[in-house]
Amino acid sequence: MDLSVSSKWIGHEKDFNDLDHFQYRINKLQGEHPSKILAGGYLEPRPLYTTTSYDKIGNKGRESRSIHLGVDFWLPAATPIYALFNGEVVTAVNDAGDKEYGGLVILRHREEGLEFYTLYGHLSVDSAIHHKVGAQLRAGDEIGVLGSCAENGNWSPHLHFQIMLSMLDFKIDFPGVGYYGQLELWKSLCPDPNMLFKLKGLSGKHTAGNDEIIAYRKQHLGKSLSLQYKVPIKMVRGAGQYLMDQYGRKYLDTVNNVAHVGHEHPAVVRAGQEQMALINTNSRYLHENINELAKELLETLPPELSVLHFVNSGSEANELAIRMVKSATGQRDIIASEVGYHGNTNMCIDISSYKFDGKGGQGAPEHTHIFPLPDAFRGKYRGENTGKQYAMEVRHQIDNIQAKGRGVGAFIIEPIISCGGQIELPKGFLAKAYQYVGEAGGLCISDEVQVGCGRMGTTFWGFQLHGVVPDIVTIGKPLGNGHPLAAVACTQEVAERFANGMEYFNTFGGNPVSCAIGAEVLRVVKREKLQAHALMVGTYLKQQLNKLSKDFPIIGDVRGQGFFRLGTGRFQDGALCRPNGLFGQPNERPRHSYEHRWP
């Protein structure tokens, strides 16, 4: 019975923390194997130990206890348990508390000159405490019976059996779970109980390294695919703001910008699972879910943006937006910011200075027009009142396009420029730039793929910070909480011009499963007041970073909104750190993503 951190059998955290559900699954598995006893392994790294009762000895620290130091036998309550060896009772207590042992007996043995201890946890309280400390038991004597969940620490009935070579300083308890970082020490103190039973699969076979995975990737996956960290990490489980590797070690996730409401949020997981169990198909068929997602999304947008197209990624969203521009205006020329990034498709690369001006790039294509990064801290124009100057740079690009006898197709920009270093647009810049583009007959696109869905705190969408309404909004990463889902919102006028007779169809865009997930993500943001939470914690973070900047002059600028936040180095040519921003759950510390970019 695999209870390891990578086990799919134990399911989501809500499943293994639901006693009735967990017991049902055990009963079902036992029914499939009536002649066998279900058992759980030694040194198995487990995600099960989530209760606050473990916090007192480290689960809130840098490492959580996850390595199982005994073996488990899952049997019905009242099953009798017998001593394996002659021994003296050294502990016979009710170790009460959530996820504690409940009825607990520990025996001391002396066999052939060796002293060791055996631990029997999760017994009924009465059967455990009727023993007297110092009493002698013979091999084969009944130690007790398994307790029900009400008296065994709120576990499904089972025996936790463990061998120890020392009790250390423990009197009425002994850890049944240890830290992975102390694995060798715990192995030396708690030998493998399976040496007594010799059962297949119970002896620490769930901690394989990553060399084989890395070797296969190098041989068969694209050479441009990158891995994070000098020593790559294999992640097998997510929970809220944490990721967990195959050893059960927890990591505060400071990299992802897609787990918008937390990894594997139970409501989002349930929405996807329940819909996937019914049907998933394309949007040619009627289904309520696409309308439900549309309603949730439109509720957050200004009334002018009333038409939606659903796609699978932010890149697809920006690709579709440019296609809409060409249909609506008849023009191909796009104005974009220096160091802007808008996706990985051909068209998106063509308008992304971050890509075509970088390694492997070939500079701006003919119909892409780049203006200087509107960075009031270290850009071309510096200081508080630079918005009009940067807007004039957009005006110059309009003039250049018109000088070639062509018209402006669109102006695209993120409301906070992410890959360029979390650049907040100067005050007044966006409104003036939108004015110039509109007067030239072009459309304005707000790329909200990274900044949108409430991360700003003050507003739900980044463009709302600037008091403007774009013609097109592209939405991506956070909308699906890790599921591939994105959208394009536009005005009725743009939608009408795009519907020129050429059908737009996307096989997976707007499918019932994706829409169920997206709608629930938006409901979670609203229901759990995560936008307000992002504002509160993000404001606190900004205040603290500003305080640090007074003591550490290397911090030159603190910028961003809500959970889209950055502290940048005064002396670096790029950003010191780039937080993409994740919502924390209420009353939790914020989660941020920091990407070091040293010159």
Side-chain angles (χ1 to χ4, degrees), residues 274-286:
E274 289 177 352
Q275 183 55 55
M276 192 176 294
L278 295 176
I279 188 173
N280 197 27
T281 185
N282 61 55
S283 57
R284 290 189 192 276
Y285 302 103
L286 291 175

Side-chain angles (χ1 to χ4, degrees), residues 506-528:
N506 189 308
T507 302
F508 299 109
N511 70 76
V513 171
S514 295
C515 290
I517 290 171
E520 190 58 35
V521 168
L522 293 173
R523 289 174 186 138
V524 168
V525 172
K526 298 169 188 177
R527 185 169 63 243
E528 298 184 8

